Amino acid sequence: MIGRLLLALAAAFALAFLLSPTSFAVLFQPLTRNGAPAIYTQASLLRLTLFHLGIVALAVLISTAVALALALFVTRPVGREFLPLARTITTIGQTFPPVAVLALAVPVMGFGTGPTLVALILYGLLPVFENALAALTGQPAKVAEAARGMGLTPAQRLWQVDLPLALPLLLAGMRLTAVISLGTATIGSTVAAKTLGEVIIAGLLSSNTAYVVQGGMIVGIIAVLIHAGFQHLERRAARATGQTD
Amino acid sequence: MIELRNLTRHYGEVTAVNDVSLTVQTGQIAVLVGTSGSGKTTLLRLINRLVQPSSGQVLIDGADTASLPVHHLRRRIGYAIQGDGLFPHRTVARNIATVPRLLGWPKSRIDARIDELLALFQLEPAAFRDRMPHQLSGGQAQRVGVARALAAKPDLLLMDEPFGALDSVIRAKAQSDLRDIQRQLGTTIILVTHDIQEAVQLGDRIAVMDRGRVLQYDSPAQILTQPATPFVRDLIGPTERAFRLLSLTGIGPITMPGEAHGTPIARDATLRDALAECLWSGRDALPVQGGGIVTLDALRANAAQDRQ
Ligand SMILES: Nc1ncnc2c1ncn2[C@@H]1O[C@H](COP(=O)(O)OP(=O)(O)OP(=O)(O)O)[C@@H](O)[C@H]1O
Ligand SMILES: [Mg+2]
């Protein structure tokens, strides 16, 4: 209950700040020096936030699609032998630093959103893949046996049994990926992607702590909200699939 | 009619089913009994091809099942698995509707069938239709599992210990219901049980399994009076044998004209019921509802006949 109240307050605060940043100037004034501006005004914070969210949403969707497809493939009889390979790919995606991905992608794709998207997608594969794998392989043997015994085809088993039962864990994987990507997306601004990283970098370049804090604050609040939103969905999915603990 | 011909299945070193041949006539109930690990479940799963045989054939009405697409075959064969195997993410009604939906029945027919089956298994449709499996007791889930297996009116029903989790009252009811359903629809049933009494009461034929082999496949009376091997004799329990035999026969044949005192016994009672009543009430003869009597002497004479 208290948790919900805090979330609602955080959401209201973030929204008010984004709609009218200058109204909150007094809050950030103490963080500035030599009369520097307290609020970033070179670009609309709301617009930057929406771009930031858009890139993250797209990256999460693509990571999920790729990771889920991989997990499905390696849990079918034809793909079983590719499991170690898929594990290696997703693990490398996670361990290879996103900054290095940017550096490698810019010469190929040019400046802008593209390299950032690639970095985020690679970085986000692992959580979804591992969770989808756990969900698909951890299903009760009796349920799979019943589904086969009643004459569901492999495709019907996939859509009607495997995927619905995997949904809660899949959502948990997406939650991790979304939260990680939200923070990581800020570095996209170093290669001219429009994200909230722009505010933080501007703060670093001009030694204006107020910018750094407001950029970080927005990202932080949104991450907490998205985390809570996914958890809510996971609980609902778990209840709907009779997997309440 | 279903015929198993020289069915064998190996798992590495283990031969789970070893050269099993037997025939179940249409409309009969064949019961598989045997110790744990003797291959009963594997034999059932060979029939609906959840397990591929290492060698041997399964013929349904003369057709080799290996020649049919497996999912078509399985939709025609009801399968109530050991435990219940209900889909945890679907309501009771949706679980029962699984095969009818696969077969494309119209919704109204499916809904009617769901309510019919729930009522048949003593589950108030209005209260149970929309429940999730985790909201059921073990016994209720098991009954829903059997209802689901029966939903599309299969010609052949495979049941793996379907009544294991039921208390004795509901169990007896479920058994007699199964008998009724089976007589009504003419369904052929192959049922696995650990309970010899259940096998004797339900089975037209009993197959006794041990380490993958069928040691004897006979009518309950034959199995009880002429066990083929010491293993079969031990499994049916020699001390219980007399009572099991008595429970196989109704009192009809030994009812004779005459007069007796006390509470009458039902016309469709078994010899075992009659003996129990004689012993309990200390009488030598019981009146039968609708006329006639059953005497302790007649019961004894009947048992002597079975011994030969
Ligand atoms: N998939 C499998 N892989 C390896 N061995 C198996 C497999 N399935 C069954 N077995 C073995 O085959 C034998 C028969 O098993 P089965 O499940 O048919 O026994 P059962 O008669 O149904 O026993 P229970 O009464 O305990 O259910 C056992 O020794 C078992 O360990
Ligand atoms: Mg078994």
Side-chain angles (χ1 to χ4, degrees), chain A residues 140-154 156-157 159-162 164-165 238-244, chain B residues 41 45 48-51 70-71 74-75 77 79 81-90 94-95 98-99 102 132 134 148:
Chain A
K142 279 193 188 310
V143 173
E145 161 114 353
R148 288 208 306 141
M150 281 189 292
L152 276 77
T153 61
Q156 285 167 335
R157 291 210 302 275
W159 287 107
Q160 298 182 25
V161 182
D162 295 353
L165 288 180
R239 257 203 308 277
T241 55
Q243 300 174 334
T244 36
Chain B
T41 298
R45 302 174 80 222
N48 63 6
R49 300 229 152 222
L50 282 173
V51 171
V70 278
H71 56 277
R74 291 177 190 153
R75 288 170 196 179
I77 301 178
Y79 182 39
I81 78 174
Q82 200 165 359
D84 59 72
L86 295 180
F87 296 140
H89 60 302
R90 290 188 165 169
R94 272 292 263 124
N95 263 287
T98 306
V99 181
L102 290 174
M132 299 300 281
H134 73 271
R148 182 174 70 172

Side-chain angles (χ1 to χ4, degrees), chain B residues 40-41 82 160-161 192:
Chain B
K40 306 179 296 291
T41 298
Q82 200 165 359
D160 203 342
E161 302 189 31
V192 170

Side-chain angles (χ1 to χ4, degrees), chain B residues 11 14 16 34-43 45 82 160-161 194:
Chain B
Y11 285 114
V14 182
T35 45
S36 184
S38 57
K40 306 179 296 291
T41 298
T42 308
L43 188 59
R45 302 174 80 222
Q82 200 165 359
D160 203 342
E161 302 189 31
H194 271 121

Side-chain angles (χ1 to χ4, degrees), chain B residues 162-199:
Chain B
F163 306 130
L166 304 187
D167 61 77
S168 56
V169 176
I170 295 188
R171 190 183 176 101
K173 178 85 179 101
Q175 287 168 353
S176 73
D177 285 347
L178 183 70
R179 253 292 177 204
D180 292 345
I181 296 166
Q182 186 264 346
R183 291 223 178 91
Q184 247 178 53
L185 301 176
T187 315
T188 310
I189 297 178
I190 302 180
L191 179 143
V192 170
T193 182
H194 271 121
D195 178 350
I196 302 297
Q197 188 57 39
E198 181 168 286

Side-chain angles (χ1 to χ4, degrees), chain B residues 35-305:
Chain B
T35 45
S36 184
S38 57
K40 306 179 296 291
T41 298
T42 308
L43 188 59
L44 277 197
R45 302 174 80 222
L46 282 165
I47 295 171
N48 63 6
R49 300 229 152 222
L50 282 173
V51 171
Q52 295 299 323
S54 303
S55 62
Q57 289 170 299
V58 178
L59 285 81
I60 297 183
D61 295 329
D64 191 338
T65 53
S67 62
L68 297 170
V70 278
H71 56 277
H72 286 297
L73 174 74
R74 291 177 190 153
R75 288 170 196 179
R76 281 175 42 202
I77 301 178
Y79 182 39
I81 78 174
Q82 200 165 359
D84 59 72
L86 295 180
F87 296 140
H89 60 302
R90 290 188 165 169
T91 62
V92 165
R94 272 292 263 124
N95 263 287
I96 294 176
T98 306
V99 181
R101 284 173 63 110
L102 290 174
L103 295 173
W105 286 21
K107 186 173 177 329
S108 57
R109 181 163 174 221
I110 295 178
D111 290 344
R113 183 71 179 147
I114 290 166
D115 287 1
E116 180 190 345
L117 283 165
L118 284 175
L120 193 61
F121 285 94
Q122 325 280 311
L123 300 165
E124 173 56 40
F128 283 92
R129 219 185 276 129
D130 297 322
R131 285 217 203 161
M132 299 300 281
H134 73 271
Q135 299 167 321
L136 302 174
S137 74
Q140 289 165 347
Q142 215 172 29
R143 274 177 284 163
V144 174
V146 177
R148 182 174 70 172
L150 276 168
K153 309 194 174 176
D155 302 328
L156 173 61
L157 182 57
L158 307 176
M159 310 176 87
D160 203 342
E161 302 189 31
F163 306 130
L166 304 187
D167 61 77
S168 56
V169 176
I170 295 188
R171 190 183 176 101
K173 178 85 179 101
Q175 287 168 353
S176 73
D177 285 347
L178 183 70
R179 253 292 177 204
D180 292 345
I181 296 166
Q182 186 264 346
R183 291 223 178 91
Q184 247 178 53
L185 301 176
T187 315
T188 310
I189 297 178
I190 302 180
L191 179 143
V192 170
T193 182
H194 271 121
D195 178 350
I196 302 297
Q197 188 57 39
E198 181 168 286
V200 167
Q201 264 167 19
L202 284 177
D204 294 303
R205 287 275 184 286
I206 297 177
V208 181
M209 291 191 71
D210 181 33
R211 281 169 290 172
R213 286 186 175 280
V214 169
L215 300 180
Q216 187 171 7
Y217 180 54
D218 255 324
S219 68
Q222 282 286 324
I223 298 251
L224 289 170
T225 55
Q226 278 149 35
T229 72
F231 178 87
V232 177
R233 197 192 55 221
D234 291 347
L235 191 76
I236 58 177
T239 54
E240 293 285 321
R241 177 166 58 188
F243 301 108
R244 294 201 165 119
L245 263 174
L246 286 173
S247 71
L248 271 179
T249 323
I251 55 173
I254 65 160
T255 303
M256 57 181 90
E259 294 289 329
H261 297 290
T263 341
I265 185 165
R267 192 155 266 293
D268 61 356
T270 65
L271 296 182
R272 182 183 181 145
D273 300 332
L275 176 65
E277 186 56 32
C278 283
L279 294 178
W280 190 247
S281 63
R283 290 179 286 177
D284 289 330
L286 309 170
V288 176
Q289 260 167 14
I293 58 166
V294 171
T295 66
L296 208 46
D297 286 336
L299 283 165
R300 204 181 285 129
N302 189 275
Q305 232 171 23

